[in-house]
Amino acid sequence: MDPDVEQACHELLLRLSGRLPDNLVWRFRDWLGEGAMSTLARVLPKTLLKHRVDLDQEEYGLLVAGLVPHGADRHQVSSTLGVDAPLESGYTFTASTPNWVNSVDSVAAVIDATLRRRPDVGEVREAWRQERGAGPEGAKRVLLVTAAAGLPRLTGELQRLLRVLGDEAPCVEVLPTRFDPPAYHREALANSRFVCAGAADSGRQLVSA
């Protein structure tokens, strides 16, 4: 796959976090990680229209660059361009593990064992997300990872791992080492905890010391 096309698709899906349902975002990322570009090109534009998710000019450019080469319907693609900036996220984040998680967090332990000192992986953090105004019982784990290469495939791998561990619609945010994160990710990072570090120099810490 053309690396520029792959990068455009991955960045677009990062920008859709919190704006499309988790069960759709993880599936789209799984398709990207598996190289199922024609399927992604066919389904993603119509999904954006169905859920009334408008794209800003930069996001629209990513959609064109990533999916038009793989057969996305140009009329559907052009219809995704909105006039307004993306709406504020409907979520809040905390670094505190919910009380219902066992004192020994087996999921975090597996993530640590999988990514610690791994090549091309930088910093690994996690946050717990909940809808604004909701109680902690509905909190959702959000995994935040920097990586220097193979981002879609790493995303797919970690999603499959979390699904095996019981999360049916995992939230795995694999960020490029040089990336200005959207507001969703900035808030998650600002309210996250350190899990482990890979072997790669990420260029900068996800969260400043």
Side-chain angles (χ1 to χ4, degrees):
M1 185 192 304
D2 184 329
D4 291 336
V5 170
E6 182 179 69
Q7 179 178 341
C9 290
H10 184 78
E11 183 174 336
L12 176 61
L13 293 177
L14 284 175
R15 293 176 179 277
L16 293 176
S17 296
R19 295 162 64 189
L20 282 175
D22 295 336
N23 65 315
L24 295 177
V25 174
W26 91 258
R27 175 61 70 186
F28 294 152
R29 289 173 173 167
D30 186 63
W31 287 342
L32 177 59
E34 293 294 321
M37 297 304 299
S38 59
T39 302
L40 188 61
R42 184 178 71 252
V43 177
L44 179 54
K46 67 175 63 174
T47 301
L48 293 171
L49 296 175
K50 177 181 178 180
H51 288 266
R52 299 181 180 179
V53 175
D54 288 337
L55 303 183
D56 63 23
Q57 190 66 53
E58 183 176 2
E59 294 164 346
Y60 174 74
L62 293 170
L63 182 64
V64 171
L67 296 185
V68 168
H70 292 278
D73 184 286
R74 289 181 177 273
H75 176 70
Q76 291 178 352
V77 168
S78 64
S79 297
T80 64
L81 182 60
V83 296
D84 298 322
L87 297 175
E88 179 183 3
S89 169
Y91 299 106
T92 59
F93 298 87
T94 179
S96 301
T97 304
N99 292 332
W100 50 263
V101 177
N102 294 335
S103 57
V104 177
D105 186 348
S106 58
V107 174
V110 171
I111 292 169
D112 185 328
T114 301
L115 296 179
R116 181 179 293 272
R117 294 187 294 275
R118 179 162 169 172
D120 292 327
V121 172
E123 193 176 28
V124 181
R125 304 186 70 89
E126 72 172 14
W128 290 87
R129 187 196 76 188
Q130 60 191 59
E131 294 186 11
R132 293 185 186 277
E137 63 277 358
K140 173 87 170 175
R141 189 191 308 264
V142 177
L143 188 62
L144 302 147
V145 182
T146 53
L151 280 68
R153 285 171 289 284
L154 178 59
T155 302
E157 175 191 344
L158 294 175
Q159 287 186 155
R160 290 188 291 273
L161 175 64
L162 291 182
R163 281 174 58 80
V164 169
L165 295 173
D167 190 342
E168 294 186 357
C171 295
V172 177
E173 309 297 325
V174 179
L175 308 173
T177 54
R178 291 176 176 80
F179 179 60
D180 183 18
Y184 176 93
H185 297 87
R186 289 198 301 272
E187 187 173 352
L189 290 167
N191 297 279
S192 64
R193 74 172 189 90
F194 178 80
V195 176
C196 66
D201 180 0
S202 65
R204 63 171 175 84
Q205 291 183 318
L206 283 174
V207 177
S208 299

Coordinates of all heavy atoms in Angstrom, one line a residue, residues 39-120:
T39 N -13.0 -2.0 0.7 CA -14.1 -2.1 1.7 C -14.2 -0.8 2.5 O -15.3 -0.2 2.6 CB -13.9 -3.3 2.6 OG1 -13.8 -4.5 1.9 CG2 -15.1 -3.4 3.6
L40 N -13.1 -0.3 3.0 CA -13.1 0.9 3.7 C -13.6 2.1 2.8 O -14.3 3.0 3.3 CB -11.7 1.2 4.2 CG -11.5 2.4 5.2 CD1 -12.3 2.2 6.5 CD2 -10.0 2.5 5.6
A41 N -13.1 2.1 1.6 CA -13.5 3.2 0.7 C -15.0 3.2 0.4 O -15.6 4.2 0.2 CB -12.7 3.1 -0.6
R42 N -15.5 2.0 0.3 CA -17.0 1.9 0.0 C -17.8 2.3 1.2 O -18.9 2.9 1.0 CB -17.3 0.4 -0.4 CG -18.7 0.2 -0.9 CD -19.0 -1.2 -1.3 NE -19.0 -2.1 -0.2 CZ -18.0 -3.0 0.0 NH1 -16.9 -3.1 -0.8 NH2 -18.1 -3.8 1.0
V43 N -17.4 1.9 2.4 CA -18.3 2.0 3.6 C -18.1 3.3 4.4 O -19.1 3.9 4.8 CB -18.0 0.8 4.5 CG1 -18.9 1.0 5.8 CG2 -18.3 -0.5 3.8
L44 N -16.9 3.8 4.5 CA -16.6 5.0 5.4 C -17.4 6.2 5.0 O -18.0 6.9 5.8 CB -15.1 5.2 5.5 CG -14.7 6.4 6.4 CD1 -15.4 6.3 7.8 CD2 -13.2 6.6 6.5
P45 N -17.3 6.6 3.7 CA -18.0 7.9 3.3 C -19.5 7.8 3.6 O -20.1 8.8 4.2 CB -17.7 8.0 1.8 CG -16.4 7.3 1.6 CD -16.5 6.1 2.6
K46 N -20.2 6.7 3.3 CA -21.6 6.6 3.5 C -21.9 6.6 5.0 O -23.0 7.1 5.5 CB -22.2 5.4 2.8 CG -21.8 4.1 3.3 CD -22.5 2.9 2.6 CE -22.2 2.9 1.1 NZ -22.8 1.7 0.5
T47 N -21.0 6.0 5.8 CA -21.2 6.0 7.3 C -21.1 7.4 7.9 O -21.9 7.8 8.7 CB -20.1 5.1 7.9 OG1 -20.2 3.8 7.4 CG2 -20.3 5.1 9.5
L48 N -20.1 8.2 7.4 CA -20.1 9.6 7.8 C -21.3 10.4 7.5 O -21.8 11.1 8.3 CB -18.9 10.3 7.1 CG -17.5 9.8 7.5 CD1 -16.4 10.4 6.6 CD2 -17.2 10.1 9.0
L49 N -21.9 10.1 6.3 CA -23.2 10.8 6.0 C -24.3 10.3 6.8 O -25.1 11.1 7.3 CB -23.5 10.6 4.5 CG -22.4 11.2 3.5 CD1 -22.8 10.8 2.1 CD2 -22.4 12.7 3.6
K50 N -24.4 9.0 7.1 CA -25.4 8.4 7.9 C -25.4 9.0 9.3 O -26.5 9.3 9.9 CB -25.3 6.9 7.9 CG -26.3 6.2 8.8 CD -26.1 4.7 8.8 CE -27.2 4.0 9.7 NZ -27.0 2.5 9.7
H51 N -24.3 9.1 9.9 CA -24.1 9.6 11.2 C -24.0 11.2 11.3 O -23.7 11.7 12.4 CB -23.0 8.9 11.9 CG -23.2 7.5 12.3 ND1 -23.7 7.1 13.5 CD2 -23.1 6.4 11.5 CE1 -23.9 5.8 13.4 NE2 -23.5 5.3 12.3
R52 N -24.1 11.8 10.2 CA -24.1 13.3 10.1 C -22.8 13.8 10.7 O -22.8 14.8 11.4 CB -25.3 13.9 10.7 CG -26.6 13.4 10.1 CD -27.8 14.1 10.7 NE -29.0 13.6 10.0 CZ -30.3 14.0 10.4 NH1 -30.4 14.8 11.4 NH2 -31.3 13.6 9.7
V53 N -21.7 13.2 10.3 CA -20.4 13.7 10.8 C -19.7 14.5 9.7 O -19.4 14.0 8.6 CB -19.4 12.5 11.1 CG1 -18.0 13.0 11.5 CG2 -20.0 11.7 12.3
D54 N -19.7 15.8 9.9 CA -19.1 16.7 8.9 C -17.6 16.8 9.1 O -17.1 16.8 10.2 CB -19.7 18.1 9.0 CG -21.1 18.2 8.6 OD1 -21.5 17.4 7.8 OD2 -21.8 19.2 9.0
L55 N -16.9 16.8 8.0 CA -15.4 16.9 8.0 C -15.0 18.4 7.8 O -15.6 19.1 6.9 CB -14.8 16.0 7.0 CG -15.1 14.5 7.0 CD1 -14.3 13.8 6.0 CD2 -14.8 14.0 8.4
D56 N -13.9 18.8 8.4 CA -13.4 20.1 8.1 C -12.5 20.0 6.9 O -12.3 18.9 6.3 CB -12.6 20.8 9.3 CG -11.4 20.0 9.7 OD1 -10.9 19.2 8.9 OD2 -11.0 20.1 10.9
Q57 N -11.9 21.1 6.4 CA -11.2 21.0 5.1 C -10.0 20.1 5.2 O -9.7 19.3 4.3 CB -10.7 22.4 4.8 CG -10.1 22.6 3.4 CD -11.2 22.4 2.3 OE1 -12.2 23.0 2.3 NE2 -10.9 21.5 1.4
E58 N -9.3 20.1 6.3 CA -8.1 19.2 6.4 C -8.5 17.7 6.5 O -7.9 16.9 5.8 CB -7.3 19.5 7.7 CG -6.1 18.7 7.9 CD -5.3 19.1 9.1 OE1 -5.7 20.0 9.8 OE2 -4.2 18.5 9.3
E59 N -9.6 17.4 7.2 CA -10.1 16.0 7.3 C -10.6 15.6 5.9 O -10.4 14.4 5.5 CB -11.2 15.9 8.3 CG -10.7 16.1 9.7 CD -11.8 16.4 10.7 OE1 -12.9 16.7 10.3 OE2 -11.5 16.4 11.9
Y60 N -11.3 16.5 5.2 CA -11.8 16.2 3.9 C -10.6 15.9 2.9 O -10.7 14.9 2.1 CB -12.6 17.4 3.3 CG -13.0 17.2 1.9 CD1 -14.0 16.4 1.5 CD2 -12.3 18.0 0.9 CE1 -14.4 16.2 0.2 CE2 -12.7 17.8 -0.5 CZ -13.8 17.0 -0.8 OH -14.2 16.8 -2.1
G61 N -9.5 16.6 3.1 CA -8.3 16.3 2.3 C -7.8 14.9 2.5 O -7.3 14.2 1.6
L62 N -7.8 14.5 3.8 CA -7.3 13.2 4.2 C -8.2 12.1 3.6 O -7.8 11.1 3.1 CB -7.3 13.0 5.7 CG -6.3 13.9 6.4 CD1 -6.5 13.8 7.9 CD2 -4.8 13.5 6.1
L63 N -9.5 12.4 3.6 CA -10.5 11.4 3.0 C -10.3 11.2 1.5 O -10.2 10.1 1.0 CB -11.9 11.9 3.3 CG -13.1 11.0 2.8 CD1 -13.0 9.6 3.5 CD2 -14.4 11.6 3.0
V64 N -10.1 12.3 0.9 CA -9.8 12.3 -0.6 C -8.5 11.5 -0.9 O -8.5 10.6 -1.7 CB -9.8 13.7 -1.2 CG1 -9.3 13.7 -2.6 CG2 -11.1 14.4 -1.1
A65 N -7.5 11.9 -0.2 CA -6.1 11.3 -0.4 C -6.1 9.8 0.0 O -5.5 9.0 -0.7 CB -5.1 12.0 0.4
G66 N -6.9 9.4 1.0 CA -6.8 8.1 1.5 C -7.8 7.1 0.8 O -7.4 5.9 0.6
L67 N -8.9 7.6 0.3 CA -9.9 6.6 -0.1 C -10.4 6.8 -1.6 O -10.8 5.8 -2.2 CB -11.2 6.7 0.8 CG -11.0 6.3 2.2 CD1 -12.3 6.3 3.0 CD2 -10.3 4.9 2.3
V68 N -10.2 8.0 -2.2 CA -10.6 8.1 -3.6 C -9.7 7.2 -4.5 O -10.2 6.6 -5.4 CB -10.5 9.6 -4.0 CG1 -10.5 9.7 -5.6 CG2 -11.6 10.4 -3.4
P69 N -8.4 7.1 -4.2 CA -7.6 6.1 -5.0 C -8.1 4.7 -4.9 O -7.7 3.9 -5.8 CB -6.2 6.3 -4.4 CG -6.2 7.6 -3.8 CD -7.5 7.8 -3.2
H70 N -8.9 4.4 -3.9 CA -9.4 3.0 -3.8 C -10.8 2.9 -4.1 O -11.5 1.9 -3.7 CB -9.1 2.5 -2.3 CG -7.7 2.3 -2.0 ND1 -6.9 1.2 -2.4 CD2 -6.8 3.1 -1.4 CE1 -5.7 1.3 -2.0 NE2 -5.5 2.5 -1.5
G71 N -11.4 3.8 -4.8 CA -12.7 3.7 -5.4 C -13.8 4.3 -4.6 O -15.0 4.0 -4.9
A72 N -13.6 5.2 -3.6 CA -14.6 5.8 -2.9 C -15.5 6.7 -3.8 O -15.0 7.3 -4.8 CB -14.0 6.8 -1.8
D73 N -16.8 6.7 -3.6 CA -17.8 7.4 -4.4 C -17.5 8.9 -4.2 O -17.6 9.5 -3.1 CB -19.2 7.1 -3.9 CG -20.2 7.7 -4.8 OD1 -20.4 9.0 -4.6 OD2 -20.9 7.0 -5.6
R74 N -17.2 9.6 -5.3 CA -16.8 11.0 -5.2 C -17.9 11.9 -4.8 O -17.7 12.9 -4.1 CB -16.2 11.4 -6.6 CG -14.9 10.9 -6.9 CD -14.3 11.4 -8.3 NE -13.0 10.8 -8.6 CZ -11.9 11.4 -8.2 NH1 -11.9 12.5 -7.5 NH2 -10.7 10.9 -8.5
H75 N -19.1 11.5 -5.1 CA -20.3 12.4 -4.7 C -20.4 12.2 -3.2 O -20.6 13.2 -2.5 CB -21.6 11.9 -5.4 CG -22.8 12.6 -4.9 ND1 -23.0 14.0 -5.2 CD2 -23.8 12.2 -4.2 CE1 -24.2 14.3 -4.6 NE2 -24.7 13.3 -4.0
Q76 N -20.3 11.0 -2.7 CA -20.4 10.8 -1.2 C -19.3 11.5 -0.5 O -19.5 12.2 0.5 CB -20.4 9.3 -0.9 CG -21.7 8.6 -1.3 CD -21.6 7.1 -1.0 OE1 -20.5 6.6 -0.6 NE2 -22.7 6.4 -1.2
V77 N -18.1 11.4 -1.0 CA -16.9 12.1 -0.4 C -17.1 13.6 -0.4 O -16.9 14.2 0.7 CB -15.6 11.7 -1.2 CG1 -14.5 12.6 -0.8 CG2 -15.3 10.2 -1.0
S78 N -17.6 14.2 -1.5 CA -17.7 15.6 -1.5 C -18.8 16.1 -0.5 O -18.8 17.2 0.0 CB -18.1 16.1 -2.9 OG -19.3 15.6 -3.4
S79 N -19.8 15.2 -0.3 CA -20.9 15.6 0.6 C -20.5 15.6 2.1 O -21.3 16.0 2.9 CB -22.1 14.6 0.4 OG -22.6 14.7 -0.9
T80 N -19.3 15.0 2.4 CA -18.9 15.0 3.8 C -18.3 16.3 4.3 O -18.2 16.5 5.5 CB -17.9 13.9 4.0 OG1 -16.7 14.2 3.3 CG2 -18.4 12.5 3.7
L81 N -18.0 17.2 3.4 CA -17.3 18.4 3.7 C -18.3 19.4 4.4 O -19.4 19.7 3.8 CB -16.7 19.1 2.5 CG -16.0 20.4 2.7 CD1 -14.8 20.2 3.7 CD2 -15.5 21.0 1.4
G82 N -18.1 19.7 5.6 CA -19.0 20.6 6.4 C -18.5 22.0 6.4 O -17.3 22.3 6.1
V83 N -19.3 22.9 6.9 CA -18.9 24.3 7.0 C -18.5 24.7 8.5 O -17.9 25.7 8.7 CB -20.0 25.3 6.6 CG1 -20.3 25.1 5.1 CG2 -21.3 25.1 7.4
D84 N -18.8 23.8 9.4 CA -18.5 24.1 10.8 C -17.4 23.3 11.3 O -17.1 22.2 10.8 CB -19.8 23.8 11.7 CG -20.9 24.7 11.3 OD1 -20.7 25.9 11.0 OD2 -22.1 24.2 11.3
A85 N -16.7 23.8 12.3 CA -15.6 23.0 13.0 C -16.3 21.9 13.7 O -17.4 21.9 14.1 CB -14.9 23.9 14.0
P86 N -15.5 20.8 13.9 CA -16.0 19.6 14.7 C -16.6 20.1 16.0 O -16.0 20.9 16.7 CB -14.8 18.7 14.8 CG -13.9 19.1 13.7 CD -14.1 20.5 13.5
L87 N -17.6 19.4 16.5 CA -18.3 19.8 17.7 C -17.4 19.3 18.9 O -16.5 18.4 18.7 CB -19.6 19.1 17.9 CG -20.7 19.5 16.8 CD1 -21.9 18.7 17.0 CD2 -21.0 21.0 17.0
E88 N -17.5 19.9 20.0 CA -16.8 19.5 21.2 C -17.1 18.1 21.6 O -18.2 17.6 21.4 CB -17.2 20.4 22.4 CG -16.5 20.1 23.7 CD -17.0 21.0 24.9 OE1 -17.9 21.8 24.6 OE2 -16.4 20.9 26.0
S89 N -16.1 17.4 22.0 CA -16.3 16.0 22.4 C -17.3 15.9 23.6 O -17.3 16.7 24.4 CB -15.0 15.4 22.9 OG -15.1 14.1 23.5
G90 N -18.1 14.8 23.5 CA -19.1 14.6 24.6 C -18.5 13.8 25.7 O -19.3 13.2 26.5
Y91 N -17.2 13.7 25.8 CA -16.5 12.8 26.8 C -15.6 13.6 27.8 O -15.1 14.7 27.4 CB -15.7 11.7 26.1 CG -16.5 10.8 25.2 CD1 -16.4 10.9 23.9 CD2 -17.4 9.9 25.8 CE1 -17.2 10.1 23.0 CE2 -18.1 9.0 25.0 CZ -18.0 9.1 23.6 OH -18.7 8.3 22.8
T92 N -15.4 13.0 28.9 CA -14.4 13.5 29.8 C -13.4 12.3 30.1 O -13.8 11.1 29.8 CB -14.9 14.0 31.2 OG1 -15.7 12.9 31.8 CG2 -15.8 15.2 31.0
F93 N -12.2 12.6 30.6 CA -11.2 11.5 30.8 C -10.6 11.7 32.2 O -10.5 12.8 32.7 CB -10.1 11.7 29.7 CG -10.6 11.5 28.3 CD1 -11.0 12.6 27.6 CD2 -10.5 10.2 27.7 CE1 -11.5 12.4 26.3 CE2 -10.9 10.1 26.4 CZ -11.4 11.1 25.7
T94 N -10.2 10.5 32.7 CA -9.5 10.5 34.0 C -8.4 9.5 33.9 O -8.5 8.5 33.2 CB -10.5 10.2 35.1 OG1 -9.7 10.2 36.4 CG2 -11.1 8.9 35.0
A95 N -7.3 9.7 34.7 CA -6.3 8.7 34.8 C -6.6 7.7 35.9 O -5.9 6.6 35.9 CB -4.9 9.4 35.2
S96 N -7.6 7.9 36.7 CA -7.9 7.0 37.8 C -8.6 5.7 37.3 O -9.7 5.8 36.6 CB -8.8 7.7 38.8 OG -8.1 8.8 39.3
T97 N -8.1 4.6 37.6 CA -8.8 3.3 37.3 C -10.1 3.2 38.0 O -10.1 3.4 39.3 CB -7.8 2.2 37.6 OG1 -6.6 2.4 36.9 CG2 -8.4 0.8 37.1
P98 N -11.2 2.8 37.4 CA -12.4 2.7 38.1 C -12.4 1.6 39.1 O -11.6 0.6 39.1 CB -13.4 2.2 36.9 CG -12.7 2.7 35.7 CD -11.3 2.6 35.9
N99 N -13.2 1.7 40.2 CA -13.2 0.8 41.3 C -13.6 -0.6 40.9 O -13.2 -1.6 41.5 CB -14.2 1.3 42.4 CG -13.8 2.5 43.0 OD1 -12.6 2.8 43.1 ND2 -14.7 3.3 43.5
W100 N -14.3 -0.8 39.7 CA -14.8 -2.1 39.3 C -13.6 -2.9 38.7 O -13.8 -4.1 38.5 CB -16.0 -2.1 38.4 CG -15.9 -1.1 37.2 CD1 -16.4 0.1 37.2 CD2 -15.3 -1.4 36.0 NE1 -16.1 0.7 35.9 CE2 -15.5 -0.3 35.2 CE3 -14.6 -2.5 35.4 CZ2 -15.0 -0.2 33.9 CZ3 -14.2 -2.4 34.1 CH2 -14.3 -1.3 33.4
V101 N -12.5 -2.2 38.3 CA -11.4 -3.0 37.8 C -10.6 -3.6 39.0 O -10.4 -3.0 40.0 CB -10.4 -2.0 37.0 CG1 -9.2 -2.8 36.5 CG2 -11.2 -1.4 35.8
N102 N -10.2 -4.9 38.8 CA -9.5 -5.6 39.9 C -8.2 -4.8 40.3 O -7.6 -4.1 39.5 CB -9.1 -7.0 39.4 CG -10.3 -7.9 39.2 OD1 -11.4 -7.6 39.8 ND2 -10.2 -8.9 38.4
S103 N -7.8 -5.0 41.5 CA -6.7 -4.3 42.0 C -5.4 -4.6 41.2 O -4.5 -3.7 41.0 CB -6.4 -4.7 43.5 OG -6.2 -6.1 43.6
V104 N -5.4 -5.8 40.6 CA -4.3 -6.1 39.7 C -5.0 -6.1 38.3 O -5.8 -6.9 37.9 CB -3.7 -7.5 39.9 CG1 -2.7 -7.9 38.8 CG2 -3.1 -7.6 41.3
D105 N -4.7 -5.0 37.5 CA -5.3 -4.8 36.2 C -4.6 -5.7 35.2 O -3.5 -5.4 34.7 CB -5.1 -3.3 35.9 CG -5.9 -3.0 34.6 OD1 -6.3 -3.9 33.9 OD2 -6.0 -1.8 34.3
S106 N -5.2 -6.8 34.9 CA -4.6 -7.8 34.0 C -4.5 -7.3 32.6 O -3.5 -7.7 31.9 CB -5.5 -9.1 34.0 OG -6.8 -8.9 33.6
V107 N -5.4 -6.4 32.2 CA -5.3 -5.9 30.8 C -4.1 -5.0 30.7 O -3.3 -5.1 29.8 CB -6.6 -5.1 30.5 CG1 -6.4 -4.4 29.1 CG2 -7.8 -6.0 30.5
A108 N -3.9 -4.1 31.7 CA -2.7 -3.2 31.6 C -1.4 -4.1 31.7 O -0.4 -3.7 31.1 CB -2.8 -2.2 32.8
A109 N -1.5 -5.2 32.5 CA -0.3 -6.0 32.6 C 0.1 -6.7 31.3 O 1.2 -6.8 30.9 CB -0.5 -7.1 33.7
V110 N -0.9 -7.1 30.5 CA -0.7 -7.7 29.2 C -0.2 -6.7 28.2 O 0.7 -6.9 27.4 CB -2.0 -8.4 28.7 CG1 -1.8 -8.8 27.2 CG2 -2.4 -9.6 29.6
I111 N -0.7 -5.5 28.3 CA -0.3 -4.4 27.4 C 1.2 -4.1 27.7 O 2.0 -3.9 26.8 CB -1.1 -3.1 27.6 CG1 -2.6 -3.4 27.0 CG2 -0.5 -1.9 26.9 CD1 -3.5 -2.3 27.4
D112 N 1.5 -4.0 29.0 CA 2.9 -3.8 29.4 C 3.8 -4.9 28.8 O 4.9 -4.6 28.2 CB 3.0 -3.8 30.9 CG 4.4 -3.4 31.4 OD1 5.4 -3.7 30.8 OD2 4.4 -2.8 32.5
A113 N 3.4 -6.1 29.0 CA 4.3 -7.2 28.5 C 4.4 -7.2 27.0 O 5.4 -7.7 26.4 CB 3.7 -8.6 28.9
T114 N 3.4 -6.7 26.3 CA 3.4 -6.7 24.8 C 4.2 -5.6 24.2 O 4.9 -5.8 23.2 CB 1.9 -6.6 24.3 OG1 1.1 -7.7 24.8 CG2 1.9 -6.6 22.8
L115 N 4.2 -4.4 24.9 CA 4.8 -3.3 24.2 C 6.1 -2.8 24.9 O 6.8 -2.0 24.3 CB 3.8 -2.1 24.3 CG 2.5 -2.3 23.4 CD1 1.6 -1.1 23.5 CD2 2.9 -2.6 22.0
R116 N 6.4 -3.2 26.1 CA 7.6 -2.8 26.8 C 8.9 -3.1 25.9 O 9.0 -4.2 25.5 CB 7.7 -3.4 28.2 CG 9.0 -2.9 29.0 CD 9.0 -3.5 30.3 NE 7.9 -3.0 31.2 CZ 8.0 -2.0 31.9 NH1 9.1 -1.2 31.9 NH2 6.9 -1.6 32.6
R117 N 9.7 -2.1 25.7 CA 10.9 -2.2 24.9 C 10.7 -2.7 23.5 O 11.7 -3.2 22.9 CB 11.9 -3.1 25.7 CG 12.4 -2.5 27.0 CD 13.5 -3.3 27.6 NE 13.1 -4.6 28.1 CZ 12.5 -4.9 29.2 NH1 12.3 -3.9 30.1 NH2 12.1 -6.1 29.6
R118 N 9.6 -2.6 23.0 CA 9.3 -3.0 21.6 C 9.8 -2.0 20.6 O 9.6 -0.8 20.7 CB 7.8 -3.2 21.4 CG 7.4 -3.7 20.0 CD 6.0 -4.3 20.0 NE 5.5 -4.5 18.7 CZ 4.4 -5.2 18.4 NH1 3.7 -5.7 19.4 NH2 4.0 -5.3 17.2
P119 N 10.5 -2.5 19.5 CA 10.9 -1.6 18.5 C 9.8 -0.8 17.9 O 8.7 -1.3 17.7 CB 11.6 -2.5 17.5 CG 11.9 -3.7 18.2 CD 10.9 -3.9 19.3
D120 N 10.1 0.5 17.5 CA 9.1 1.4 16.8 C 8.0 1.9 17.8 O 7.2 2.7 17.3 CB 8.5 0.8 15.6 CG 9.5 0.5 14.5 OD1 10.5 1.4 14.4 OD2 9.4 -0.4 13.7

